[in-house]
Amino acid sequence: MVTKMTSKEHLDEVLASYRECPNPRLVQIMTSLTAHLLAFVEETGLTRDEWMSGIEFLTATGKKCDDERQEFILLSDVLGVSMLVEMVNQKPTDSATEPTVLGPFYRPGGPELSMGDSIAPDDSDGQPLIFSGMVRNASGEPLRDAHLEVWQTSPEGFYDVQDPALDPMSYRGNFTTGVDGRFFFETVRPVDYQIPTDGPVGVLLRTSARESWRPAHTHFLVTCAGYKTLITHLFDASSPHLHSDAVFGVRESLVVDMNHDEASFDLVLDVAGESPVN
Ligand code: BEZ
Ligand code: FE
């Protein structure tokens, strides 16, 4: 009698197909991905209809992508994958600022501003807020020539790229620290906003009775020669969505009081090469 192939033998056969691959890292990634995917199919007893729904969902996700919209990144965000990638890659030491997701609305090439300038347009109707603090290392030494890229939504909850009424690069600005490492700039208080829900990711959230809100935050991307790049946000402590962020990006250490005119926070960078990944 011919014995039937087991799922383990099937997995081994699929993995063996990579035996000639010259790239060991690709083999490692495909081996782990394949093992987890096949285990998922077996563990859930995935039906043919469910498999087809998954294929249709991924097809719709691809069709929603263009030069401005990246629905796959949004999918990765709501699955909790993007945040874990940052945790695995940025790995701060205990004294450094915790990272969070970059998000799909980062744009390089923001306007280079002077300390004290505003990233909000003059006619913004938001609640004025000044962010201030120091870019420093874990020993408390101020970091000179640290470059901060800052971005957030308008008081209506839209990034410049989402709202035709906003001039390009509104609510974005870059700052370079001086010898004292200090930064301070004007903005308006960030607001809670919904991630885009007009695509397949929105369908997934609604079907799963999940939240589509992100708690109010301002994004920071900080670079400084000799130090690890920091990608993070500062969250408004008053937000009702701190415990239900659609993309799981909130960290307690990043929550600050924005109730008053000024919010203060030091951005602490790790020396490059101090932890496993840079
Ligand atoms: C953001 O904070 O800009 C963001 C992050 C993930 C998904 C959507 C928006
Ligand atoms: Fe954001």
Side-chain angles (χ1 to χ4, degrees), residues 74 77 101-105 159 193 195-196 214 217 219 233 247:
L74 198 60
D77 294 338
V101 283
L102 181 67
F105 296 114
Y159 286 93
Y193 67 86
I195 64 168
R214 293 222 64 208
H217 59 269
H219 293 255
H233 315 346
V247 306

Side-chain angles (χ1 to χ4, degrees), residues 46-56:
L46 197 71
T47 67
R48 213 175 289 118
D49 283 352
E50 289 163 344
W51 169 81
M52 189 40 105
S53 296
I55 299 286
E56 284 166 2

